[in-house]
Amino acid sequence: MPRSALSAAACAALVLPFAAGCVANTPASTSAAGSGAVTVDSSATACTLSAATAPSGTLTFSVTNSGTDVTEFYVLAADGLRVVAEVENLGPGLTRDLVVQARPGTYVTQCKPGMVGEGIRSDFTVTDSGTTVGPTGDTATQLAEAEESYVSYVKDQVGTLISGTQEFAAAYVAGDDATARDLYAATRLHWERIEPVAESFGDLDPFLDLREADLEAGQAWTGWHLIEKDLWAPAADANGGVAYTPLTQTQREAAAAGLVANTQAVVDAVNAPGFTFEAFQIANGAKALLDEVATGKITGEEEIWSHTDLWDVQANLDGARVAFEVLRDVADAADPELVKTLDARFTDLAALVSAQGSAETGFTSYDALSTDQVKQIAAAVDAVSEPLSRLTATVTSAS
Amino acid sequence: MLANFLIGLREGLEAALVVGILVAYVVKTGRRDLLPAVRAGVAVAVTVSLAFGAVLTFGPQGLSFEAQEAIGGWLSIAAVGLVTWMIFWMARTARFLKSNLQHGLDAAIAAGKRAVVVMALLAVGREGLETALFLWAGAKATGTSTSPLLGAALGLAAAIALGWLVYRGAVRLDLRVFFAWTGLFLVVVAAGVLSYGVHDLQEAGILPGLHALAFDVSTSIPPTSWYGTLLKGVFNFSPATTWIQLAAWVAYLVPTATVFIRTTWGTPTRASRPAAVPAGVPA
């Protein structure tokens, strides 16, 4: 067995019940002028560190006892009281490594020759290296809970999505276009809420949600928007001057079958054993949903024939909101100010959107919105988007 | 050299004493067939500790401070639980001596075979990882000097010798006196382990009050002195003890010792002169 595998296995066996306790002995950042590794010389009367600052991340204090008595070395919090890490019982002539997951901030280091008294103290600064410091203990538990709760939300949404899609496809194949038009936006709602998850499965998103404008040469057009165009058949002047040709019954059946099959593939992937969606993906997904709103929905490009863009806006907003909510506790512990900002801005945006209707009663058609209303919503989306872009960093660096 | 000797002594002492008493118990109750089980428990604990220590010292992955504290803390709590159980197992056994010695003892031991292995394992394993990390750090430093390693090894040897002496003394004791005194000794040891575990949790920030000291006698009993080492090694005595540590120690020691003394010596009034009760005479 390779050394690293053996070591990881030993580490895992030891700390399995204690959350994340394994740390690299060799800090990843050692390449940068020896940063990440600090040597400490503890003699009877002095405590000499090779550096007074280090970048955040995994720090290794290599403590050597050059005195004649047993010594201890502590890394204390800025108050000089709380123990961040320690190495005890260091005999004369010995060197021990103390590995610390250090977040940016000020600390106090302390050598305690003879293991009594106040010891020899000095200040130590950890600068922000941009390296995320892994979560431990309660945060790890909270993150695991957030991931679990987000995955069950996704499973719930795809469950409704597949049954809605089947119903929609059946109505469309049967030629009941009125029913299909009614079901279109309400069904897509469940798709738009979890789109970042579907995007993580590679090919499925383009098969399901590609817009005609984004078609590449030679690419076959499938999915929701193909059917959308067929249901809301455009006049010739809206169709590049060419009269729109409705799909044949065979084409309809193929489009409907493809939509159901590809949606089923998403459902299967989500329900596969071991499917997880990690905290950073949840946070990134929330941001991605709002970017969708900003680049596609609020411009009216997404639902160019049906003009049901506000449904999608609502759905993207719901998805982002849920992602934020499951991460709330972790984010709140790390950056309460960010959580407060997000709360306020989500509320503002939700108020603007709900002024135009709801998923139950239906939304104003996009082409009925005034330029001012569109601008207002766009501004509110940007206002959420900016703090939301900090959520991933906040969540992944929480510890 | 002396400082490293004392570290070895301190780390090894508690384990040596508990294992010594365990072996004395097995021998005195005529169950020498359980000795391999004790040996196996000790061997497993030593091997596992050394292996983990080596891997964590020389491998690319180490343990975070939090994980080390957590391992120490949990093993301490498990050790207190097991030692307490053993104390009352002994006390029950001692009680059987009043009526039907052989029958009662067999019943008690029947339940205890696996416990004997686990006891030996835990007694050694609790300090094992820490000691192994120390030893391997010493081995790493042998390029410069072998004296730290030698000092620690001598200290461990001294601890084992002391454990053996306790064992020799214990086997000479009359059976009931043996149960009574070793049981009481183990109550005090367990109280110390609990107090030590509490201090670990305070250092890890799980419990408050790390700097609220009940007393600090570290100037008169330096932790690195030979007597400080003995007190720490045997009773986990800390010269600078926090209020919560003291409270945990008292809260465990007083009721446990009271119940133990009542169980073993029959009536509380006789507790003051336990040695005066001759063996085999009904109390």
Side-chain angles (χ1 to χ4, degrees), chain A residues 27-331:
Chain A
S29 52
T30 37
S31 52
S35 55
V38 177
T39 59
V40 181
D41 183 85
S42 174
S43 69
T45 52
C47 185
T48 314
L49 275 73
S50 66
T53 62
S56 60
T58 303
L59 286 183
T60 301
F61 291 93
S62 197
V63 189
T64 302
N65 183 356
S66 63
T68 52
D69 207 347
V70 181
T71 193
E72 295 177 324
F73 175 74
Y74 290 86
V75 178
L76 304 170
D79 59 8
L81 298 176
R82 192 173 63 80
V83 180
V84 175
E86 66 178 356
V87 55
E88 293 177 306
N89 253 338
L90 187 63
L94 286 189
T95 301
R96 283 269 299 273
D97 288 347
L98 176 63
V99 184
V100 183
Q101 297 282 317
R103 280 188 285 160
T106 53
Y107 297 84
V108 175
T109 56
Q110 179 191 33
C111 295
K112 229 192 234 188
M115 313 206 299
V116 288
E118 281 297 288
I120 304 150
R121 293 166 176 246
S122 52
D123 290 335
F124 191 85
T125 307
V126 174
T127 57
D128 194 349
S129 65
T131 312
T132 54
V133 178
T136 56
D138 287 349
T139 306
T141 315
Q142 283 181 333
L143 284 177
E145 280 167 5
E147 286 161 17
E148 199 184 316
S149 119
Y150 190 72
V151 165
S152 28
Y153 169 75
V154 169
K155 284 182 178 169
D156 178 55
Q157 289 301 315
V158 295
T160 318
L161 174 66
I162 186 66
S163 56
T165 305
Q166 283 161 344
E167 209 184 325
F168 168 77
Y172 177 61
V173 168
D176 186 355
D177 287 6
T179 305
R181 277 189 214 108
D182 272 345
L183 290 171
Y184 178 79
T187 306
R188 277 182 55 79
L189 194 74
H190 302 286
W191 162 259
E192 290 288 343
R193 278 177 182 162
I194 54 115
E195 202 176 350
V197 176
E199 279 169 357
S200 70
F201 302 131
D203 290 334
L204 287 170
D205 184 56
F207 282 153
L208 280 164
D209 205 32
L210 198 66
R211 290 174 299 153
E212 191 176 20
D214 296 334
L215 270 181
E216 287 164 27
Q219 193 177 14
W221 191 24
T222 61
W224 283 103
H225 296 302
L226 170 69
I227 302 175
E228 181 208 354
K229 189 174 184 182
D230 200 45
L231 285 173
W232 282 273
D237 57 346
N239 197 35
V242 186
Y244 177 73
T245 318
L247 300 189
T248 64
Q249 183 61 24
T250 318
Q251 283 170 322
R252 276 196 173 214
E253 281 169 18
L259 187 70
V260 171
N262 285 321
T263 305
Q264 186 61 50
V266 175
V267 175
D268 292 346
V270 165
N271 286 290
F275 170 75
T276 54
F277 213 65
E278 289 180 44
F280 78 92
Q281 293 174 296
I282 299 173
N284 284 341
K287 177 71 168 71
L289 283 166
L290 282 192
D291 289 344
E292 286 254 0
V293 175
T295 58
K297 273 75 174 192
I298 206 60
T299 57
E301 288 164 34
E302 174 89 357
E303 308 291 355
I304 197 160
W305 319 114
S306 68
H307 304 301
T308 54
D309 299 84
L310 280 180
W311 291 79
D312 298 2
V313 171
Q314 177 69 53
N316 287 167
L317 183 56
D318 290 344
R321 186 78 197 233
V322 168
F324 165 56
E325 290 296 342
V326 300
L327 296 170
R328 170 189 287 277
D329 287 349
V330 178

Side-chain angles (χ1 to χ4, degrees), chain B residues 35-225:
Chain B
L35 281 177
V38 178
R39 264 202 295 278
V42 171
V44 167
V46 168
T47 313
V48 167
S49 295
L50 285 176
F52 275 140
V55 168
L56 293 174
T57 304
F58 301 108
Q61 294 247 297
L63 273 188
S64 72
F65 162 71
E66 290 85 354
Q68 279 183 21
E69 290 293 299
I71 289 169
W74 285 114
L75 284 183
S76 293
I77 289 164
V80 172
L82 223 82
V83 168
T84 309
W85 176 82
M86 182 186 172
I87 293 161
F88 284 96
W89 173 44
M90 283 189 170
R92 244 193 346 268
T93 309
R95 191 164 235 190
F96 284 131
L97 299 177
K98 291 175 188 166
S99 48
N100 188 337
L101 189 135
Q102 206 49 50
H103 174 261
L105 212 56
D106 284 351
I109 287 181
K113 173 147 190 175
R114 224 171 288 138
V116 167
V117 185
V118 180
M119 275 296 297
L121 210 143
L122 216 59
V124 176
R126 202 175 72 79
E127 295 289 343
L129 183 65
E130 174 74 11
T131 312
L133 285 172
F134 179 90
L135 288 176
W136 289 119
K140 230 174 158 181
T142 46
T144 51
S145 159
T146 51
S147 75
L149 202 55
L150 190 65
L154 285 175
L156 279 176
I160 292 166
L162 279 173
W164 186 77
L165 285 176
V166 165
Y167 159 76
R168 293 292 299 174
V171 287
R172 290 212 193 88
L173 282 178
D174 159 87
L175 195 57
R176 289 197 57 201
V177 173
F178 167 78
F179 278 131
W181 286 108
T182 55
L184 203 55
F185 171 74
L186 287 174
V187 172
V188 183
V189 168
V193 172
L194 183 68
S195 165
Y196 170 91
V198 164
H199 191 251
D200 267 358
L201 295 181
Q202 287 185 308
E203 287 194 317
I206 297 167
L207 286 179
L210 181 59
H211 301 276
L213 294 182
F215 58 85
D216 187 351
V217 293
S218 37
T219 43
S220 42
I221 310 176
T224 56
S225 64

Side-chain angles (χ1 to χ4, degrees), chain A residues 1 3-23, chain B residues 52 55-56 60-64 67 71:
Chain A
M1 189 154 47
R3 213 175 62 147
S4 57
L6 181 70
S7 159
C11 198
L14 267 175
V15 303
L16 217 54
F18 314 113
C22 295
V23 287
Chain B
F52 275 140
V55 168
L56 293 174
Q61 294 247 297
L63 273 188
S64 72
I71 289 169

Side-chain angles (χ1 to χ4, degrees), chain A residues 353-371:
Chain A
V353 176
S354 62
Q356 302 304 325
S358 73
E360 288 73 38
T361 59
F363 283 96
T364 314
S365 180
Y366 181 81
D367 52 5
L369 288 176
S370 73
T371 320

